[in-house]
Amino acid sequence: MKIKIAIPSKGRISDPAVAILEKAGLGLKDASNRKLFSNTHNSDISVMFARAADIPEFVADGIVDMGITGLDLIKESNSDVEILTDLKFGQTSLVLASPEDSDINSLDDIKSEIVVATEFPNLTDSYLKSHGINAKIVELTGSTEIAPFIGIADIIADLTSTGTTLKMNHLKIIDNILDSSIKLIANKDEYFNNNEKKNLIGTVNISINGVIEAERKKLLMMNVSKDNLQIIKDLMPSMTGPTVSEVLSDREDTVAVQAVVDEEEVFDLVNKLKNSGARDILVVPIERII
Ligand SMILES: Nc1ncnc2c1ncn2[C@@H]1O[C@H](COP(=O)(O)OP(=O)(O)OP(=O)(O)O)[C@@H](O)[C@H]1O
Ligand SMILES: O=P(O)(O)OC[C@H]1O[C@H](OP(=O)(O)OP(=O)(O)O)[C@H](O)[C@@H]1O
Ligand SMILES: [Mg+2]
């Protein structure tokens, strides 16, 4: 049984998608710029490169079994796919924005005859309709922020993350339509009904979850004299452990201690450990936790 995973061929989420597969043990074996497909280090799993916006439909139609793409693009295309895991990157919001000097500050100020420019006509139209607003939608494929200033729309619906682009274009947020980030998705029928593919899809999902989990954790390693061991053990929050092992050296009073800890705890913890007599402290990145 073989499965295909669609990942973005270009744009901001292409490299992080490849990186996450690599860390999950599914590094690409023969990717080159012009190829549409690549094998991975697992002979049952291959990758197809596609535009991020096309991936939800390819997964829903079973052209590929799994995919990596944004929630905004999944919802805009109204694709019926199974969302398996949030990949914790590409965080952005689809917002309605008006020119800074406009009187439109909230949905209540929008009159029905308003014109909205957007790359997300379906999401925008259904959001406005659900608030009783029938807008005219002008569909663009990029640089939406310019639309009010060239007179083709009153307001826009576009993605924002740092807010820099809105600010540069003198636009203010008036409402939030959708918070989006990048998801691992699967074809529903294969995930729920195809026994063989279900297993392989599940394995990929578990590996990728392991990568996400590991990104928030560090491995702490240190040498501790036996006299200080109890204090150090008490300080260590750990998944299971800490692990204490013998150090083969002249200093027989020394043991090595290691434990996996949350990234947010590392800064404080390292100081406390140092002050309690730990030596040679190493903070090591982890690739995957299964
Ligand atoms: N400024 C941003 N910050 C975070 N994520 C973003 C941002 N802009 C777009 N995204 C997300 O990136 C994903 C891919 O978007 P898109 O296909 O537009 O790629 P891109 O990197 O913007 O390339 P391009 O627009 O040049 O084709 C979408 O799911 C979208 O939500
Ligand atoms: O809040 P910010 O951090 O400024 O990011 C928001 C911008 O990022 C995206 O544009 P992108 O760079 O993908 O260009 P595009 O409009 O051509 O898609 C989005 O369409 C906004 O324009
Ligand atoms: Mg873009």
Side-chain angles (χ1 to χ4, degrees):
M1 184 54 58
K2 293 186 188 292
I3 61 166
K4 267 196 205 80
I5 308 173
I7 64 169
S9 50
K10 64 182 189 73
R12 77 185 69 232
I13 65 170
S14 176
D15 287 348
V18 172
I20 221 164
L21 288 180
E22 235 158 49
K23 288 184 188 164
L26 296 172
L28 306 188
K29 263 172 71 179
D30 45 13
S32 75
N33 275 342
R34 290 179 171 269
K35 277 189 85 162
L36 296 176
F37 297 98
S38 170
N39 290 314
T40 71
H41 289 299
N42 182 313
S43 57
D44 292 332
I45 301 170
S46 64
V47 158
M48 185 178 102
F49 299 99
R51 292 205 49 214
D54 293 333
I55 291 176
E57 277 170 55
F58 288 167
V59 173
D61 295 348
I63 292 165
V64 292
D65 311 285
M66 303 182 78
I68 293 179
T69 191
L71 181 67
D72 51 346
L73 302 171
I74 299 167
K75 297 269 185 201
E76 175 64 21
S77 62
N78 205 8
S79 300
D80 191 18
V81 297
E82 185 65 14
I83 296 179
L84 300 175
T85 295
D86 180 44
L87 300 183
K88 313 257 188 243
F89 66 91
Q91 281 98 348
T92 181
S93 298
L94 179 63
V95 298
L96 288 164
S98 68
E100 277 165 2
D101 59 4
S102 132
D103 293 335
I104 302 171
N105 294 305
S106 75
L107 281 191
D108 295 339
D109 302 325
I110 295 181
K111 311 277 178 303
S112 263
E113 61 270 22
I114 199 148
V115 182
V116 190
T118 186
E119 286 183 58
F120 297 88
N122 297 328
L123 279 171
T124 304
D125 195 37
S126 59
Y127 183 79
L128 289 173
K129 284 216 170 83
S130 74
H131 287 84
I133 299 164
N134 263 314
K136 180 175 177 238
I137 309 282
V138 175
E139 187 175 348
L140 299 179
T141 54
S143 305
T144 310
E145 291 89 351
I146 204 75
F149 300 99
I150 56 174
I152 58 170
D154 302 305
I155 62 170
I156 64 160
D158 201 5
L159 299 175
T160 181
S161 51
T162 61
T164 314
T165 313
L166 288 178
K167 211 169 181 183
M168 264 170 37
N169 289 285
H170 305 288
L171 294 160
K172 62 184 179 218
I173 295 176
I174 56 178
D175 204 0
N176 190 58
I177 298 177
L178 175 81
D179 292 325
S180 176
S181 60
I182 307 306
K183 309 284 183 187
L184 178 68
I185 58 177
N187 175 280
K188 274 195 164 163
D189 195 38
E190 283 160 10
Y191 185 64
F192 289 110
N193 303 325
N194 183 325
N195 276 337
E196 288 178 55
K197 285 201 172 182
K198 185 159 98 181
N199 282 341
L200 206 45
I201 291 171
T203 309
V204 172
N205 188 28
I206 288 170
S207 289
I208 287 182
N209 267 284
V211 175
I212 311 267
E213 177 78 4
E215 270 164 6
R216 298 187 299 106
K217 307 269 186 190
K218 295 278 182 248
L219 176 65
L220 278 190
M221 301 168 80
M222 72 212 74
N223 289 329
V224 176
S225 84
K226 283 182 182 157
D227 295 344
N228 292 330
L229 187 56
Q230 194 53 51
I231 318 171
I232 299 289
K233 269 187 180 167
D234 292 345
L235 280 173
M236 296 289 263
S238 167
M239 289 166 73
T240 45
T243 306
V244 179
S245 39
E246 291 290 334
V247 175
L248 296 178
S249 78
D250 300 340
R251 302 179 62 167
E252 281 174 8
D253 64 327
T254 300
V255 287
V257 175
Q258 64 182 55
V260 174
V261 301
D262 281 347
E263 193 173 44
E264 304 93 75
E265 293 179 89
V266 169
F267 185 83
D268 274 349
L269 193 57
V270 165
N271 282 326
K272 285 185 190 151
L273 292 166
K274 191 104 197 147
N275 292 336
S276 305
R279 302 185 310 272
D280 314 323
I281 303 173
L282 302 182
V283 182
V284 185
I286 305 169
E287 200 157 84
R288 228 185 317 165
I289 299 172
I290 304 290

